[in-house]
Amino acid sequence: MSDNTADHTADHVADHVAEEPAAERLEARREIAAPPAKVFELLCSPNGHVTIDSSGMLQSAEGTPVAKAGDTFVVHMDRESLGDRPLGKYDVTVEITEYEQDELIEWTVSSPLVQPSVGHRYGYRLEPAGEGATLVTSYYDWSGIVEPYRSRLPFPVIQPTALRATLGILARTVE
């Protein structure tokens, strides 16, 4: 093998490894005409998650607004709205995994019916975008999915259009 071929192969492998995490993560961005603190306040509210959900799965929530990593709340779900699995109605516990005031909120979900936890994460990253505006990035990351779910369930659970639609509802709600 020539030196050029070896270099090209090494570059290709390095590129593939670098791209792999991105292949298991969806992101959508939107500038919203509201300050980061107002957007973040809604994202910390259990009912705020229900309000902005575009999937139709989140039916209602119980709990107090979150204030740090490790905080939890319960969401009453209905998977029938996706039409992909006949799970009916069930509850999940949302656990905040990352929390930076007015900048980042991330969570994972668990349920007593699903053990161990699936391991996917959802989140919002907020960046000031000028006077009274925020650039909001919504993401869904399933790179941490554990077996047996990785081989038995289709991922991603939600589609990029759902992330964009949720950002549209978020904008309408806080603007």
Side-chain angles (χ1 to χ4, degrees):
M1 185 178 333
S2 74
D3 285 343
N4 275 349
T5 305
D7 287 346
H8 177 70
T9 302
D11 287 346
H12 177 70
V13 170
D15 287 346
H16 178 70
V17 170
E19 291 174 6
E20 192 170 303
E24 294 184 332
R25 181 181 176 105
L26 298 176
E27 290 191 356
R29 288 183 162 187
R30 180 179 178 136
E31 187 170 304
I32 294 178
K38 185 172 183 180
V39 174
F40 197 76
E41 180 181 13
L42 183 128
L43 297 174
C44 289
S45 164
N47 287 320
H49 285 252
V50 176
T51 299
I52 66 172
D53 170 51
S54 69
S55 74
M57 289 194 319
L58 283 68
Q59 300 296 297
S60 62
E62 294 177 30
T64 59
V66 298
K68 64 186 181 317
D71 283 356
T72 63
F73 58 89
V74 174
V75 177
H76 307 293
M77 307 286 288
D78 184 359
R79 185 68 178 250
E80 296 301 313
S81 64
L82 293 184
D84 64 344
R85 297 224 172 259
L87 297 176
K89 295 186 179 200
Y90 59 99
D91 291 347
V92 298
T93 298
V94 171
E95 180 180 354
I96 304 303
T97 55
E98 303 251 354
Y99 184 98
E100 295 176 30
Q101 183 70 43
D102 299 338
E103 295 179 14
L104 173 68
I105 186 166
E106 179 187 275
W107 63 94
T108 189
V109 296
S110 63
S111 168
L113 302 175
V114 181
Q115 292 299 320
S117 179
V118 175
H120 48 183
R121 297 174 292 133
Y122 301 84
Y124 291 93
R125 192 172 47 255
L126 311 178
E127 302 170 53
E131 187 70 30
T134 306
L135 179 61
V136 180
T137 302
S138 173
Y139 62 88
Y140 170 54
D141 187 317
W142 64 99
S143 62
I145 298 297
V146 298
E147 286 298 338
Y149 309 115
R150 183 170 288 281
S151 60
R152 289 195 343 224
L153 299 174
F155 289 96
V157 172
I158 59 171
Q159 300 303 311
T161 52
L163 291 179
R164 287 192 296 275
T166 294
L167 286 175
I169 298 167
L170 174 62
R172 180 181 69 211
T173 303
V174 297
E175 288 179 349

